[in-house]
């Protein structure tokens, strides 16, 4: 199998500056808000997750659009870099959480563990299927709804 692709151009100096600034901003705000959450008696991960929301378009983009624009989160390339770092962060969070699991405690409470894990999988699945079946027809594609007038939004379950 032969793979051919165009060579990827290296990142420019400004792109590297923006990325490292954003990375520092994310890590610094996560550290500060994590410590603040601990002082409030909450797990530090709550503050760290809030930092991600504050740097995103819903908070920083609304409050300081100039800063948000300079960070270039509206450009696809920069967004993919930040997304990749976010995925690595989620993998580390899951890994660290997995390391901290007390397997002996889970084994002693096997029935409760099985009940909680099964419920945590089944309830969202059932809710998603129910919402999907009851979705407004405007949310469905033309192949599902056929050709209809664009203004009619009939709910399927109602």
């Amino acid at each position: 199998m032969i793979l051919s692709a165009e060579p990827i151009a290296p990142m420019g100096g400004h792109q590297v500056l923006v990325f490292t600034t954003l990375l520092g901003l994310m890590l610094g705000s996560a550290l500060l808000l994590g410590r603040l959450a601990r002082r409030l008696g909450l797990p530090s991960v709550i503050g760290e997750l809030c930092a991600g929301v504050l740097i995103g378009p819903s908070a920083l983009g609304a409050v300081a659009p100039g800063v948000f624009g300079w960070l270039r989160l509206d450009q696809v390339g920069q967004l993919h870099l930040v997304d990749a770092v976010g995925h690595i962060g989620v993998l580390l969070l899951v890994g660290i959480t997995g390391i901290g699991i007390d397997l002996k405690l889970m084994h002693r409470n096997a029935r409760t563990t099985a009940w909680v894990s099964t419920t945590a999988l089944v309830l969202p699945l059932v809710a998603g299927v129910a919402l999907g079946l009851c979705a407004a027809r405007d949310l469905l594609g033309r192949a599902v709804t056929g050709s209809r007038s664009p203004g009619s939004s009939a709910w399927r379950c109602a």
Side-chain angles (χ1 to χ4, degrees):
M1 180 167 101
I2 299 174
L3 297 175
S4 70
E6 296 290 322
I8 298 173
M11 289 177 31
H14 183 69
Q15 236 183 339
V16 173
L17 172 68
V18 169
F19 178 67
T20 53
T21 303
L22 182 61
L23 196 58
L25 180 66
M26 288 190 307
L27 292 174
S29 61
L31 180 68
L32 290 174
L33 290 177
R35 287 184 180 175
L36 177 65
R38 293 287 294 208
R39 284 186 163 247
L40 296 173
L42 298 169
S44 60
V45 72
I46 300 295
E48 294 163 358
L49 290 173
C50 287
V53 171
L54 290 177
I55 294 174
S58 57
L60 183 64
V63 174
V67 174
F68 187 75
W70 186 82
L71 291 173
R72 297 177 177 261
L73 290 177
D74 54 346
Q75 290 186 352
V76 175
Q78 203 71 20
L79 189 62
H80 286 310
L81 283 172
V82 173
D83 186 48
V85 171
H87 284 300
I88 292 169
V90 168
L91 288 173
L92 290 173
L93 174 67
V94 169
I96 290 171
T97 303
I99 289 171
I101 291 177
D102 185 4
L103 294 176
K104 290 179 184 177
L105 177 67
M106 284 179 57
H107 185 64
R108 283 194 306 263
N109 299 317
R111 180 175 288 163
T112 304
T113 302
W115 174 252
V116 168
S117 60
T118 303
T119 305
L121 289 171
V122 171
L123 279 180
L125 176 67
V126 169
V129 168
L131 285 173
L133 291 174
C134 294
R137 291 180 187 246
D138 286 343
L139 298 176
L140 301 173
R142 286 198 180 271
V144 176
T145 60
S147 60
R148 293 184 17 256
S149 60
S152 62
S153 63
W155 287 85
R156 292 170 49 175
C157 290

